[in-house]
Amino acid sequence: MQQTGIHIAGRWDAGATQIENRNPSDVSDLIGHYAQASSEQLEEALDSAHRAQKIWWAAGVQKRHDVLMAIGTELMNRSAEIGELIAREEGKPAAEGKGEVYRAGQFFTWFAAEALRNQGDLAESVRTGVEVDVRREPVGVVAIVSPWNFPVATPAWKIAPALAFGNAVVWKPANLTLASAVALTDIITRQDIPAGLFNLVSGAGRQVGQRLIESPRVDAISFTGSVSVGRSIAASAIGNMTRLQMEMGSKNPLVIMDDADLDLAVSCAAGAAFGGTGQKCTAASRLIVHESIHDVFVERLVEAAEALTVGHALDASTQLGPVVSDAQLQQNLTYIETGEAEGASLLCGGKRLERATEGYYMSPAVFSDTHNDMRINREEMFAPITCVIKTGSYEEALNMANDSEFGLTAGIMTQSLARASHFRANARAGCVMVNLPTAGTDYHVPFGGRGASSYGPREQGSYAAEFYTVVKTAYVAAGDPL
C-alpha cells in the first residue's frame, strides 16, 4: 500500500482529503490512498502554470522536442510495468494495459517531432512594401479532464500536443485510476521542465473539476467523458469564452452486409463489442445485420461471446477483465433489465460472475430482436453488451446507422467496393471503418466524431494544432532598399 499526493508547482503535496483505490479484479487489494486537492491548491496550480508557460515557450522547439522524446521513450520502455498497474486498478487485461502505455509513448514521440514542424508561412501582401508573417503560438494554460477507461493513453494524446506547442497543463484525471495518473505525472515532472508547467490536481468533478473549468485563468479545456458532463462543461466555460475540445458519448454501428466474410465479421464484431470489457467510446454496441445472414451470424457471435474468458486482469489467460467499479456493474445490469423489458431477447451473458477473487465480473451479453428505437440502442452503455438489429437492405442499414444523436465511429463489413465507398461517403461519423472493428485508431491522424460525440477541433495528428495553438498574422513594412 502506498500513499501519494497531488503535484503542484513542481512538488508532490498531500491533498485536503484522500480516497481509496481498490482493484476491481480483487476488491481486497488496496492499491493505495490518493490525494484530493483543495480549492487553494487548485489556485496555486493555476498560478504556477501561468508562470511556467512563459518560460517553456521561450525555451524553444529543440527543448520541447527533447523533453517529449524522453517522456515517450520512458513510457515505451516501462510499458509492461505501467500496463500491469493499469490492469490492477482499471481492470483491462495486462496485455491491453501494456499496449495502451506503449501507444501513449508513441503519442509523445510523434508530437516531439511535431514541435519541430511547427512552422509558419510568409505571404505576399496586396499592399506594396508590406510583408506578411503567419505563425502559431501557444494558447496558454490548458485544463485537461480525462476519463478512467484509458487512464494513460487519453491524457497522453492531450498532454503531448499541449506541451509540444508550448502550453502549460493542469490535469484533473478520473478518481478511479489515480495510480496511473501518478505514474504518468512522475515521468513528466522528472524531466527538465519549469516548475509548475505540469500540474496534477485530482479531486471530485463537482468541486475541483468545476472550479477548474470555471476559472478565467484557463485558456482552453480538453475533455473526454459523458455527454451530460460535456454539456455542463460547455455551459460553465462559455462565460469566459474558453476554448473547448470535447470527446463525449457514442453508439457506434457496425453494418454486416449479406456479402460479408462471415468469419471476419464475427471476429470484428466480437472484438469491437467486448474488447476492453466494452468500456471504449469506439465499442460497437449496435450490430446491423442483413436478414439473409442474420441467424447464422447471431449464432456465431453468441458462440464467440461465450468462448471469451472472463477473469482477473493479471491472469495471462484472461480475455475480458472486470468492469471498473461496482457502480458501473450495477448500471450494466440495469441495462440488461431494460433490454428485456423492452422486448429484446437476451441470447447470452448479462450476468454477474463469481471468480476466485471478489470483483466486478460480468459475462458478455448479446441481445437480438432489437430495433433502433430501444433505449439499449439509443444510449451509450459502456458495457460488454451488444445489440443485433435485423435489416433488409443496405439503404435501410445506412439509415439505421445514421439514426443516432452520436457519430463517433461507424463500420461496414462487405466485399463490395461500391457499398464500401458509398458508406465511407455517407456514414454520419467522424471515423469510418471498412472490414475492421469500430475500435482501433492510429495516433498520427485526427480522431473525433459528429453530433453529440464531439465538440470543437479534432484530437491527434497534425490537426491537434487547431486547438492547442492560436494563429497570429503580422504585417511588417519593408525597409527602404539600400
Side-chain angles (χ1 to χ4, degrees):
M1 187 172 68
Q2 61 178 343
Q3 184 166 315
T4 61
I6 55 181
H7 200 278
I8 295 174
R11 68 181 188 277
W12 290 101
D13 271 353
T17 58
Q18 293 181 343
I19 60 171
E20 286 187 348
N21 186 359
R22 291 188 177 272
N23 184 344
S25 294
D26 179 2
V27 296
S28 68
D29 177 18
L30 178 61
I31 298 169
H33 291 94
Y34 292 86
Q36 303 283 277
S38 66
S39 57
E40 291 77 17
Q41 288 172 315
L42 175 58
E43 292 305 317
E44 184 182 0
L46 290 167
D47 286 341
S48 65
H50 275 274
R51 291 192 298 269
Q53 189 273 321
K54 296 178 177 63
I55 301 170
W56 180 240
W57 175 237
V61 295
Q62 188 65 55
K63 180 68 172 181
R64 295 195 289 277
H65 167 275
D66 294 349
V67 166
L68 266 70
M69 281 296 294
I71 295 169
T73 300
E74 182 168 349
L75 280 166
M76 288 186 281
N77 289 341
R78 295 175 60 192
S79 59
E81 169 203 343
I82 301 174
E84 186 171 304
L85 178 62
I86 291 176
R88 188 176 167 213
E89 75 165 350
E90 191 265 345
K92 68 181 58 173
E96 291 185 29
K98 177 182 178 180
E100 175 182 339
V101 178
Y102 197 90
R103 175 56 59 91
Q106 291 175 315
F107 280 114
F108 276 97
T109 56
W110 194 86
F111 277 106
E114 197 72 354
L116 300 177
R117 290 191 288 262
N118 186 24
Q119 300 173 352
D121 298 300
L122 291 176
E124 295 290 336
S125 173
V126 296
R127 294 170 286 173
T128 303
V130 176
E131 296 177 351
V132 180
D133 174 291
V134 182
R135 65 183 65 194
R136 291 187 178 273
E137 296 182 352
V139 173
V141 174
V142 179
I144 291 173
V145 182
S146 62
W148 49 261
N149 62 324
F150 286 92
V152 173
T154 301
W157 76 52
K158 298 172 184 292
I159 294 165
L163 297 181
F165 295 124
N167 300 285
V169 170
V170 179
W171 176 31
K172 197 205 88 63
N175 268 344
L176 285 171
T177 48
L178 291 180
S180 301
V182 167
L184 178 57
T185 299
D186 178 62
I187 292 174
I188 294 172
T189 56
R190 280 192 287 100
Q191 308 305 319
D192 183 17
I193 60 176
L197 182 73
F198 184 86
N199 302 273
L200 172 68
V201 287
S202 57
R206 62 185 177 276
Q207 296 168 358
V208 172
Q210 190 65 26
R211 289 182 68 92
L212 179 62
I213 63 174
E214 290 178 348
S215 174
R217 293 190 293 164
V218 169
D219 299 295
I221 301 167
S222 182
F223 164 77
T224 297
S226 69
V227 176
S228 60
V229 175
R231 286 175 173 152
S232 175
I233 287 174
S236 298
I238 194 63
N240 298 317
M241 305 295 278
T242 307
R243 179 178 293 207
L244 287 175
Q245 175 190 71
M246 300 194 296
E247 296 298 333
M248 298 171 286
S250 63
K251 198 65 186 172
N252 309 300
L254 181 62
V255 173
I256 317 293
M257 292 311 302
D258 52 346
D259 64 340
D261 179 321
L262 195 58
D263 290 338
L264 181 62
V266 171
S267 174
C268 288
F274 305 127
T277 324
Q279 297 173 151
K280 296 181 179 181
C281 61
T282 52
S285 58
R286 290 188 297 150
L287 305 178
I288 303 171
V289 184
H290 194 278
E291 60 187 7
S292 66
I293 61 166
H294 174 274
D295 292 351
V296 65
F297 173 84
V298 168
E299 180 182 355
R300 295 273 301 275
L301 179 65
V302 169
E303 290 174 358
E306 292 180 331
L308 292 169
T309 301
V310 180
H312 196 295
L314 296 179
D315 187 329
S317 66
T318 291
Q319 294 170 291
L320 265 68
V323 300
V324 71
S325 67
D326 182 61
Q328 185 68 44
L329 177 60
Q330 297 309 315
Q331 177 178 294
N332 296 354
L333 297 176
T334 297
Y335 271 116
I336 294 296
E337 295 174 357
T338 298
E340 291 186 300
E342 289 182 306
S345 300
L346 181 62
L347 302 183
C348 69
K351 305 293 190 295
R352 181 165 191 171
L353 301 176
E354 300 296 328
R355 292 294 182 261
T357 54
E358 183 183 354
Y360 308 121
Y361 301 103
M362 176 180 175
S363 54
V366 176
F367 276 116
S368 70
D369 302 315
T370 78
H371 55 77
N372 211 40
D373 293 332
M374 290 180 173
R375 277 187 60 197
I376 55 174
N377 281 321
R378 307 305 295 180
E379 299 176 9
E380 183 177 43
M381 294 181 285
F382 231 58
I385 304 171
T386 195
C387 306
V388 180
I389 309 171
K390 185 184 294 186
T391 182
S393 68
Y394 166 74
E395 292 75 17
E396 183 182 40
L398 176 62
N399 288 335
M400 285 183 184
N402 288 338
D403 181 16
S404 172
E405 68 170 320
F406 301 112
L408 184 55
T409 66
I412 187 169
M413 309 298 298
T414 182
Q415 298 184 62
S416 166
L417 178 60
R419 280 178 177 167
S421 298
H422 188 272
F423 189 83
R424 288 170 60 190
N426 292 280
R428 188 180 175 275
C431 302
V432 178
M433 319 301 191
V434 177
N435 293 326
L436 289 166
T438 56
T441 58
D442 291 348
Y443 58 87
H444 67 304
V445 291
F447 174 77
R450 298 173 60 167
S453 289
S454 296
Y455 182 86
R458 286 288 189 257
E459 298 196 272
Q460 304 181 19
S462 59
Y463 286 71
E466 297 302 320
F467 177 72
Y468 292 99
T469 66
V470 293
V471 176
K472 177 183 285 183
T473 304
Y475 297 87
V476 181
D480 293 333
L482 296 177

